[in-house]
Structure formats: C-alpha cells, structure tokens
C-alpha cells in the first residue's frame, strides 16, 4: 500500500527524495536540540515551541517539493521572468524599509501571517531559471550566444548588486552560480570575463554604499589574521563545539555550546551536528550533499533538453555550494558568512523556496514521460496535453 502510493505520487529521482527526507529528519532533531534553551527562556518554559514551528515549515517545504515536481519544468521559464520583475522593487523596498537585524535589512514581514520573507530567495531562484532558459535557446552558434549576453549580464548585475547591498555572501554565491551556469552553457571565456568585470563593479558599489561593507571587510581580515584573539566570538564557540564532538559525538540533545553559540539553529547548525553526532555525523552530512550534487548532475546529463539540464545543474550547484560554504565556516575553512545550511537550518520562507528548487530538479528528472507533454505531429512543437 505504502509502496504503491510512493510510486504513484513521488515521481522523479528516488535517491534525491531519500536524501531530502533524511536531511529533513536530521533538521528536526538538531533544531529541537539547538533551540531548547532559547525556547525555555523566551517562551516561558515551552521548550517545544520552535520544534513545532520548524516541523510545520519542514512539512510545508516537503509539500512545496511535491507540488513543484508535479509541474512541467518548462512552465517555470515563463513564471521566472515575471518573478524577476517583481523581485527588483521588492529588493529595493527591503533595503529601504525592511526588517533590520545585525545592521542589515533582508526581510519583509508578510501581513496577517506575520512571517518573515526574504525577497533574495525569490530573486535567486528566478534568476537561475531565467538564465537557463535564455542559454538553452541560444545553443546553436556563438552569434546566438552573443544575443543572449545583454539580458543575462543586465539581470546578473542588477540582482546581485541589490542583494549585495545587505547580504554580500548571498550575492557572491548567486554570482558564482551564474558564472558556472554560463560556463556549462558554452559561453566563451571572453564573455565570462565581462561578467566578472560587472560582478566586480557591482560588488565594489555594494561594499561602498551598502549596509555590510565594513562587516564583510572585518570578517575577512579576522579570518586571514594569525592572531587567535581576533577571532569573532561565534567562530570561537563553533570551533569549541567541533573540537568537543570527537568521533561519535556527545549524543542527540547533549550539546553544551548551543547555550553559548549565536544562531546555533541556523548559521552554525553544522557545529551542533558535529558536537552531538561527532565526525561520523559530520561526514555523513557531507556525503548526503555530495550525493545530491551527483544525482543532480545525473539529471543534467540525462535531460533531453538543454533547458532542463542547465536548470538542474544551476539549482544543484547553488544548493550544494551553499551547504559547503556553511559547513566550511563552522569548521574554520572560511570567513563568517551568515548563510544557512540548506534543508537543515531553521528558517522561514527560505525553506519553502529551497523546497521549490528541489521540486524543479525532480520535475526535470521525470523526463518527458506520459505525464508531461508530447510532440504534436505536424508542427514539431511541444504543447501541454495533460499535467500530472
């Protein structure tokens, strides 16, 4: 009965589904452990408040994955253009009037439900889908690729520049993914150099005029410094958590550093994972993300259309790169960034957008099966006959 339901409702790559479910279960366990003390202090002894809230968001993200994977991925190309035009004013409004935390305006509060929303999540997803769509239509010659460069460079510069004003690390991640996507899309290196110049210009303007310029510079300087006393407090506590975890860890719910480490449920959740589950747990999480990237690349190689392949590659690389940046920061391999661990860290609408990204990858992995449109004889064009 259960097997039949899974086969009928969970289409696409089964290994990706398994990885997502495994990371979701781990997320609930670790977030519960990392927020217990915080919930007790803020919610009058209700240690399960954040557990329930995060569990609901995790379930909703799984629903988002399911819903997104049921839609023909080609529809996202049309939606992404509208989403980009909506994202630009939203990013501007957020920068000027958004909720401020740690001297950065990154969130808007959705009325009625009182839920924080990061427009950068919408802009990031829309940008990747749009670039994949543009590149897929210009694969026949270098002249066609030239025609696609202006809109790509324009959108990359505008979106990355606006996001960098308040969230430089996210902007760098988006820019790197765009570079990788264009490289995979066979854009000549000389044109990639143009993108680098635009990215450098946007980054310089953002550091100069944005909210986080001095913070970014100080974090990089602290990371490069040989003086251990200059380490930020959160980095020190993260390293203590990692060092005290040992091989097998202290056990689920036994973390000590959750009481001292800032944001142990989001930015530094990987340190809590290692502290409680040891190096074995830490390596297992790394392998899960590598497996997710591998399966995403399998989808890329097996896709019958350039658009689907580029889309899967972009979303897979963006997710896994963010994961490795987060984990690298926790163990001291990079400066503090503030990027959450995808599918694991406690979050808000960012979890839902991550779910949509996974759902799109699964939609591509479904291929052109009976559920998706087939060629219409006579004109060679794909039209929608039915939706799963």
């Amino acid at each position: 009965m259960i097997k039949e339901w899974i086969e009928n409702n969970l289409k696409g790559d089964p290994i990706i589904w398994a990885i997502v479910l495994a990371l979701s279960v781990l997320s609930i366990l670790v977030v519960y452990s990392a927020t217990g003390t915080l919930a007790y202090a803020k919610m009058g002894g209700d240690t399960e408040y954040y557990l329930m809230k995060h569990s609901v968001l995790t379930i909703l993200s799984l629903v988002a994955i399911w819903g997104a994977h049921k839609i023909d991925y080609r529809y996202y190309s049309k939606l992404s253009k509208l989403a980009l035009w909506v994202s630009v004013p939203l990013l501007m409004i957020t920068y000027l009037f958004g909720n401020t935390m740690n001297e950065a305006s990154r969130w808007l509060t959705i009325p009625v439900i009182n839920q924080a929303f990061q427009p950068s999540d919408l802009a990031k997803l829309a940008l990747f889908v749009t670039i994949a769509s543009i590149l897929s239509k210009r694969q026949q010659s270098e002249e066609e690729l030239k025609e696609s460069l202006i809109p790509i460079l324009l959108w990359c510069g505008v979106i990355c520049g606006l996001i960098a004003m308040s969230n430089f690390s996210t902007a760098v991640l988006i820019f790197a993914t765009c570079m990788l996507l264009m490289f995979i899309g066979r854009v000549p290196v000389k044109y990639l150099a143009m993108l680098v110049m635009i990215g450098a210009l946007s980054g310089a303007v953002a550091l100069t005029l944005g909210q986080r310029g001095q913070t970014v510079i100080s974090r990089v300087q602290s990371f490069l410094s040989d003086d251990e006393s200059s380490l930020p407090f959160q980095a020190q506590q993260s390293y203590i958590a990692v060092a005290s975890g040992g091989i097998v860890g202290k056990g689920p719910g036994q973390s000590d550093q959750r009481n001292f480490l800032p944001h142990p449920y989001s930015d530094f959740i990987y340190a809590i994972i290692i502290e409680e589950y040891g190096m074995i747990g830490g390596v297992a999480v790394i392998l899960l993300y590598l497996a997710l990237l591998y399966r995403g690349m399998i989808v890329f190689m097996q896709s019958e259309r350039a658009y689907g392949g580029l889309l899967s590659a972009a979303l897979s690389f963006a997710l896994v790169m963010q994961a490795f940046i987060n984990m690298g920061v926790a163990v001291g391999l990079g400066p503090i960034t503030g990027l959450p661990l995808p599918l694991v860290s406690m979050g808000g609408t960012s979890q839902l957008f991550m779910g949509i990204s996974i759902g799109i990858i699964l939609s591509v992995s479904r291929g052109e099966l009976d559920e998706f449109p087939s060629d219409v004889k006579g004109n060679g064009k794909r039209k929608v006959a039915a939706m799963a």
Side-chain angles (χ1 to χ4, degrees):
M1 183 71 175
I2 296 178
K3 181 179 179 181
E4 181 180 352
W5 184 89
I6 292 176
E7 291 177 348
N8 292 333
N9 293 276
L10 303 184
K11 303 292 186 178
D13 193 312
I15 297 179
I16 293 180
W17 276 111
I19 293 170
V20 169
L21 292 174
L23 289 173
S24 298
V25 171
L26 175 65
S27 175
I28 292 174
L29 293 174
V30 182
V31 166
Y32 181 39
S33 173
T35 58
T37 303
L38 176 65
Y40 184 85
K42 285 193 172 184
M43 307 309 299
D46 183 6
T47 58
E48 297 181 355
Y49 172 78
Y50 290 108
L51 168 66
M52 299 304 297
K53 181 179 180 180
H54 179 65
S55 297
V56 170
L57 285 172
T58 300
I59 293 172
L60 288 176
S61 69
L62 292 174
V63 173
I65 294 174
W66 180 82
H69 104 290
K70 297 285 286 184
I71 300 174
D72 187 337
Y73 64 88
R74 284 167 288 178
Y75 283 148
Y76 293 106
S77 175
K78 298 178 181 179
L79 294 175
S80 67
K81 296 176 182 177
L82 174 62
L84 274 179
W85 284 107
V86 172
S87 296
V88 172
L90 282 178
L91 288 171
M92 292 179 177
I93 293 172
T94 303
Y95 178 74
L96 296 174
F97 310 107
N99 300 332
T100 301
M101 182 180 294
N102 295 329
E103 301 177 352
S105 302
R106 301 177 182 175
W107 297 270
L108 292 175
T109 299
I110 301 176
V112 182
I113 63 174
N114 196 33
Q115 177 63 55
F117 163 63
Q118 288 196 65
S120 60
D121 292 322
L122 173 64
K124 174 174 64 175
L125 179 59
L127 181 61
F128 294 156
V129 176
T130 299
I131 293 178
S133 176
I134 293 174
L135 289 176
S136 67
K137 298 173 182 177
R138 301 287 189 270
Q139 290 288 301
Q140 301 304 317
S141 67
E142 185 172 327
E143 290 300 321
E144 290 184 337
L145 284 173
K146 287 181 181 179
E147 296 178 7
S148 66
L149 284 178
I150 293 179
I152 290 177
L153 296 177
L154 178 62
W155 281 118
C156 282
V158 171
I159 296 298
C160 291
L162 288 173
I163 293 176
M165 298 285 283
S166 59
N167 193 344
F168 194 79
S169 55
T170 296
V172 171
L173 175 64
I174 295 173
F175 180 78
T177 305
C178 291
M179 286 283 295
L180 182 62
L181 181 57
M182 293 176 68
F183 178 78
I184 295 174
R186 301 192 302 176
V187 174
V189 175
K190 59 183 178 181
Y191 299 125
L192 293 178
M194 294 173 58
L195 181 59
V196 171
M197 294 176 60
I198 291 177
L201 179 61
S202 298
V205 172
L207 286 175
T208 303
L209 304 178
Q211 299 169 329
R212 303 286 283 174
Q214 291 301 317
T215 301
V216 171
I217 294 172
S218 64
R219 286 179 173 179
V220 173
Q221 289 176 340
S222 297
F223 174 72
L224 297 176
S225 175
D226 294 329
D227 185 5
E228 294 184 2
S229 63
S230 66
L231 280 176
F233 176 77
Q234 57 264 53
Q236 295 177 9
Q237 300 304 313
S238 178
Y239 301 164
I240 292 173
V242 171
S244 61
I247 302 298
V248 297
K250 298 177 179 178
Q254 300 303 311
S255 169
D256 295 317
Q257 293 308 117
R258 64 186 174 186
N259 299 320
F260 307 99
L261 181 62
H263 306 294
Y265 44 83
S266 57
D267 299 353
F268 289 93
I269 198 168
Y270 188 65
I272 303 301
I273 292 174
I274 295 181
E275 184 182 9
E276 294 190 347
Y277 298 91
M279 293 303 298
I280 294 177
V283 171
V285 172
I286 292 175
L287 292 177
L288 284 174
Y289 283 112
L290 287 175
L292 182 59
L293 177 61
Y294 174 73
R295 297 309 302 181
M297 292 302 99
I298 292 294
V299 174
F300 162 66
M301 291 185 292
Q302 293 181 346
S303 176
E304 296 182 7
R305 291 179 173 83
Y307 170 54
L310 291 170
L311 190 56
S312 175
L315 297 177
S316 299
F317 271 110
L319 188 153
V320 176
M321 280 196 297
Q322 178 174 327
F324 275 86
I325 290 173
N326 174 280
M327 294 185 289
V329 169
V331 300
L333 297 179
I336 296 172
T337 61
L339 290 173
L341 187 60
L343 302 173
V344 178
S345 292
M346 185 175 76
T349 53
S350 60
Q351 286 183 266
L352 301 181
F353 280 103
M354 191 61 65
I356 294 173
S357 297
I358 295 291
I360 294 175
I361 296 173
L362 287 166
S363 177
V364 177
S365 74
R366 294 178 63 175
E368 284 64 49
L369 303 176
D370 292 339
E371 295 92 338
F372 282 176
S374 57
D375 283 324
V376 178
K377 295 181 180 179
N379 58 18
K381 297 182 179 180
R382 296 276 184 170
K383 294 184 179 179
V384 176
M387 293 299 298

